[in-house]
Amino acid sequence: MGRWLFWLVVLGFGGTAVSVWRGWLDVPPEWNPWAPLDVKAAPNGLTGYKLMRLRGDPALCAQALSSSALRVSRQADSPGAKCPLIGALRVQGGEVALSSSFIASCPLAVAYAMFEQHTLQPAAQSIYGQKVTRLDHLGSFACRNVYNRESGALSRHASADALDIAGFRMADGRAVSVLKDWPKQNQDAQFLRQVRDGACEAFSVVLSPDYNAAHRNHFHVDVGRWSVCR
């Protein structure tokens, strides 16, 4: 009896999925796995899947990015470079200003837009009752191996899929630094941990000072195929 019930559930779910995919069953876009990601919509259980789909579909990624307030410009392709970039963007900022613009793959740009809207600003309002006005970073694209080793796997930075975030500035001028404030036990440390935890909803990998000493002064965030939140 249990086996038959299991297969009835599987068939029912499969039929529903096919109906949604074919357009026979009308569901809100945020609950349709095949609907484009809307950056402004509140994240839900399908957000991770929708972000993952962007990695192999430039047109779908561009559509998702257009739903954000992020300002970007197209970078020239460099197919013959040691670390080739195709379809890369220069992110110039959104509601939050940047210490400098950075180069990003489209999936990284979308993940950053999600992070800014659904993690960073809510955390600042929750802890400080004000907005973040600037994000300080240590860079994104760098044609190098992991930890700058002479050999081994390329870093996610080599494909513009990663960003290193060093700190934030609030509307009242307060500066919050990963290096200086992570070890403390105060509002700033609470804010940084809330940002780190929330970032894991937008990025596939988030590495903080809890990961190792190499990340003592920044959060490494990327949109690679591994999933780590630490």
Side-chain angles (χ1 to χ4, degrees):
M1 182 66 181
R3 180 182 297 179
W4 284 108
L5 181 59
F6 169 78
W7 284 112
L8 283 172
V9 171
V10 169
L11 289 171
F13 177 79
T16 300
V18 169
S19 297
V20 172
W21 177 55
R22 292 284 189 180
W24 300 334
L25 183 62
D26 188 26
V27 297
E30 61 269 25
W31 291 108
N32 182 343
W34 296 281
L37 175 69
D38 181 353
V39 169
K40 293 185 175 66
N44 61 28
L46 292 177
T47 301
Y49 171 72
K50 290 189 174 189
L51 285 167
M52 181 182 67
R53 289 183 66 205
L54 305 183
R55 298 174 192 163
D57 193 329
L60 188 64
C61 191
Q63 188 173 356
L65 188 59
S66 70
S67 71
S68 78
L70 207 61
R71 300 186 305 278
V72 302
S73 59
R74 178 72 184 268
Q75 287 288 113
D77 292 343
S78 56
K82 180 181 177 182
C83 296
L85 292 180
I86 306 295
L89 305 166
R90 181 167 290 279
V91 177
Q92 296 159 333
E95 181 181 333
V96 177
L98 299 168
S99 55
S100 63
S101 62
F102 63 87
I103 297 175
S105 65
C106 181
L108 178 65
V110 173
Y112 174 81
M114 292 286 295
F115 163 75
E116 181 181 299
Q117 178 157 341
H118 300 293
T119 290
L120 187 57
Q121 294 294 27
Q125 289 289 353
S126 171
I127 302 297
Y128 303 114
Q130 59 181 304
K131 290 184 176 182
V132 174
T133 56
R134 194 179 85 172
L135 178 144
D136 297 325
H137 66 86
L138 304 178
S140 56
F141 174 67
C143 186
R144 62 174 177 81
N145 294 329
V146 175
Y147 295 122
N148 287 301
R149 293 169 180 154
E150 292 186 7
S151 61
L154 283 172
S155 166
R156 298 309 309 185
H157 288 284
S159 52
D161 282 331
L163 176 68
D164 290 340
I165 299 172
F168 312 91
R169 190 171 296 275
M170 304 299 153
D172 66 358
R174 176 197 293 257
V176 182
S177 160
V178 175
L179 177 63
K180 295 178 180 178
D181 297 312
W182 184 268
K184 299 176 182 177
Q185 295 183 345
N186 60 8
Q187 265 191 330
D188 297 337
Q190 183 184 355
F191 168 72
L192 289 173
R193 279 161 177 77
Q194 192 166 323
V195 168
R196 188 272 311 272
D197 294 347
C200 299
E201 297 180 3
F203 302 100
S204 52
V205 171
V206 179
L207 304 178
S208 72
D210 280 352
Y211 185 65
N212 61 17
H215 295 86
R216 66 187 179 281
N217 66 340
H218 69 277
F219 296 153
H220 167 98
V221 298
D222 75 47
V223 290
R225 300 193 179 280
W226 300 105
S227 181
V228 181
C229 179
R230 188 173 171 188

